[in-house]
Amino acid sequence: MAKFKHNKKKNSAFLYEILIQELTKAVISKNKDSQTKITAFIKESFSKNSMMYRELKLYHAITRTQHINSSTAEKILNEVKIRHKEIDKKKLLAEQNKLSKHIQKILSGDAFSNFIPNYKDLASLAQIFNNRISVKAKVLLENELVEKMTLENIKEEMVPIDNLVYNSFSKRFNDKYSGELVEEQKLLLSKFVTSFNNNGLELKSYLNEEVGRLKEEVKKALLKEEFLSDSQMSENAKKVLKILESCKDQKPDKKMVEEIIKIQGLIREIKSDGN
């Protein structure tokens, strides 16, 4: 497959992923000033009426779709291409340029060097949207994306997150935060920072399902031999379960999201150790 020149700063999904990663770093480091600035960037750049928001949704329609048959994948890809043609390209470019300048000035140019796990897919989609590439190249790229939409999820590396409550579960929780998140953590953070667009309905819906899943995983962990034989681990697991139980009586906020991100990492680690 030939390589194509890809302009990161003209890719709405890439810019969004940069902001999510920078926001994650700010949340973990408790840098409230950065959190405020980055959240403001996201609210302004990806509001429902923006062209970048419309393009981002099209990227997500492809990159967040898995476990489907090839016929359905092809239909989704074709519909995405049709809807992308309806986007006002002049407005889109103006919005991308504005956000890129903000990132360069406020967050520094280093943000553009962040590792984005699905960067190749984002670049491929950008090329498909670009009519200047050859027909053959475009078809080959489309075939690659369709294949990925029909494949099983690839297991991602767990993110170590340091917190005293969870330290006894794994030594990796003492490692320095690497800046990478597993899929469920990225999805939660994404829904949190964009919750202003739908009064938090998507966030609440996701949390309802995710908290239920996490509770079941913690209950399963309590039955494992390493937990049954270690009173400290068992006690910590019960603390985690209590945190999850309390979520049903609270309005989703930053503190809750931070707690759940840590628990998601914890559960991924426990399941990894058990495999």
Side-chain angles (χ1 to χ4, degrees):
M1 173 68 66
K3 291 185 177 180
F4 304 98
K5 186 176 180 181
H6 172 240
N7 190 338
K8 298 177 180 179
K9 298 179 181 180
K10 301 296 183 290
N11 186 318
S12 299
F14 178 81
L15 293 173
Y16 179 78
E17 290 295 332
I18 284 178
L19 292 177
I20 291 297
Q21 287 206 6
E22 291 298 315
L23 180 60
T24 302
K25 294 175 185 178
V27 169
I28 299 300
S29 64
K30 298 182 179 180
N31 187 330
K32 296 189 181 299
D33 183 55
S34 291
Q35 288 179 45
T36 300
K37 289 178 180 177
I38 298 169
T39 301
F41 289 162
I42 295 173
K43 287 182 178 181
E44 177 184 354
S45 302
F46 294 95
S47 64
K48 274 192 171 181
N49 295 324
S50 70
M51 295 300 108
M52 287 184 67
Y53 177 79
R54 289 177 61 181
E55 185 176 58
L56 177 65
K57 286 298 184 182
L58 296 179
Y59 273 95
H60 284 174
I62 301 298
T63 60
R64 293 185 176 180
T65 299
Q66 294 175 315
H67 312 299
I68 60 175
N69 59 55
S70 58
S71 176
T72 302
E74 289 172 359
K75 289 178 181 178
I76 292 175
L77 181 56
N78 286 333
E79 184 63 27
V80 163
K81 290 191 295 181
I82 291 172
R83 296 197 182 192
H84 193 269
K85 290 179 181 179
E86 299 172 355
I87 294 176
D88 187 321
K89 301 304 187 297
K90 288 185 177 180
K91 288 184 178 179
L92 176 64
L93 181 60
E95 291 172 4
Q96 291 170 335
N97 286 338
K98 182 178 180 180
L99 178 57
S100 294
K101 289 177 181 178
H102 278 319
I103 293 174
Q104 184 80 33
K105 182 178 180 180
I106 308 299
L107 302 179
S108 87
D110 292 340
F112 291 107
S113 299
N114 281 347
F115 171 71
I116 306 298
N118 63 339
Y119 173 75
K120 183 179 178 182
D121 293 341
L122 299 183
S124 294
L125 261 175
Q127 292 297 329
I128 289 172
F129 293 150
N130 184 348
N131 291 321
R132 288 176 291 179
I133 65 173
S134 69
V135 172
K136 180 180 178 181
K138 194 169 186 177
V139 170
L140 289 174
L141 286 171
E142 289 179 0
N143 286 342
E144 285 186 2
L145 289 173
V146 168
E147 283 183 20
K148 290 188 176 182
M149 292 168 74
T150 60
L151 289 176
E152 294 292 317
N153 281 320
I154 298 175
K155 186 176 181 181
E156 298 182 56
E157 184 180 354
M158 184 267 164
V159 182
I161 304 176
D162 187 21
N163 186 291
L164 290 176
V165 175
Y166 310 115
N167 278 346
S168 62
F169 288 105
S170 172
K171 291 181 180 179
R172 265 188 273 180
F173 273 50
N174 294 317
D175 292 344
K176 183 177 180 180
Y177 176 67
S178 67
E180 297 177 13
L181 294 173
V182 294
E183 190 60 34
E184 57 265 32
Q185 291 171 320
K186 290 191 292 184
L187 184 57
L188 172 56
L189 189 58
S190 172
K191 289 187 179 298
F192 174 62
V193 298
T194 58
S195 60
F196 58 89
N197 273 334
N198 49 37
N199 296 318
L201 293 178
E202 285 188 15
L203 174 62
K204 292 173 185 175
S205 177
Y206 176 74
L207 280 175
N208 184 52
E209 293 184 8
E210 183 64 357
V211 168
R213 181 186 75 84
L214 294 172
K215 284 164 63 176
E216 288 303 311
E217 292 294 344
V218 174
K219 289 175 182 178
K220 289 179 184 178
L222 281 167
L223 299 176
K224 292 178 178 287
E225 178 59 33
E226 57 265 41
F227 284 80
L228 292 172
S229 60
D230 190 321
S231 60
Q232 186 61 50
M233 288 182 68
S234 179
E235 184 61 30
N236 281 338
K238 290 176 182 177
K239 289 181 181 179
V240 171
L241 194 56
K242 187 175 292 186
I243 291 173
L244 291 171
E245 291 284 0
S246 69
C247 289
K248 63 182 179 182
D249 300 319
Q250 300 178 39
K251 181 179 179 180
D253 57 15
K254 184 171 71 68
K255 182 179 178 181
M256 180 191 291
V257 170
E258 289 175 358
E259 291 286 359
I260 294 179
I261 283 176
K262 292 171 185 175
I263 294 172
Q264 287 174 320
L266 168 64
I267 294 302
R268 181 64 75 102
E269 178 70 6
I270 291 173
K271 294 180 73 173
S272 175
D273 288 345
N275 292 333

